[in-house]
Amino acid sequence: MGRLKLPAIALVLLALAAAGSFGQAPGTPAGQPETVSYLIVHLLPTFNLPMGDSASYYKFGGGALIGAEYRLPFFSNLFVLGGVGYDYNLLKMTGQSASFPNALAGAGLQFNLAPW
């Protein structure tokens, strides 16, 4: 019975994603141009909580991430994204800190699950 749970959960998630793509908000009223932004900029604060083996070396930390997301005009559910960030964590043993510059790149599919 345990092996049936994973395919059932995957099927429910797939059905929700497909239903969300059909539940789009209605368009703009007639006579008004529709404005669409394909480029979205993100500025995100981060909170770092070490887990697993790294929890024995690091305390909590934080940082920031700035990035951009571009929705492709010919298929608005598909997007590419990129960004740069900086994290700052405290070391447990020495009381010093560690800095981690990072980069983000990716692509994916986005489905609107609710019309609002």
Side-chain angles (χ1 to χ4, degrees), residues 4-101:
L4 290 176
K5 288 182 181 180
L6 185 59
I9 291 171
L11 183 61
V12 168
L13 290 176
L14 183 62
L16 285 173
S21 66
F22 295 108
Q24 303 292 325
T28 59
Q32 293 182 355
E34 183 176 345
T35 59
V36 176
S37 176
Y38 295 107
L39 182 64
I40 301 167
V41 177
H42 302 278
L43 178 59
L44 306 168
T46 62
F47 177 75
N48 303 329
L49 184 63
M51 300 177 78
D53 292 338
S54 64
S56 61
Y57 300 107
Y58 299 105
K59 293 182 181 180
F60 62 90
L65 173 72
I66 185 167
E69 176 181 317
Y70 180 71
R71 284 186 157 198
L72 302 177
F74 54 87
F75 185 54
S76 64
N77 289 1
L78 184 63
F79 68 92
V80 294
L81 59 91
V84 293
Y86 177 81
D87 290 320
Y88 178 84
N89 285 23
L90 299 173
L91 297 172
K92 277 189 175 180
M93 301 294 182
T94 63
Q96 296 178 341
S97 63
S99 298
F100 300 101

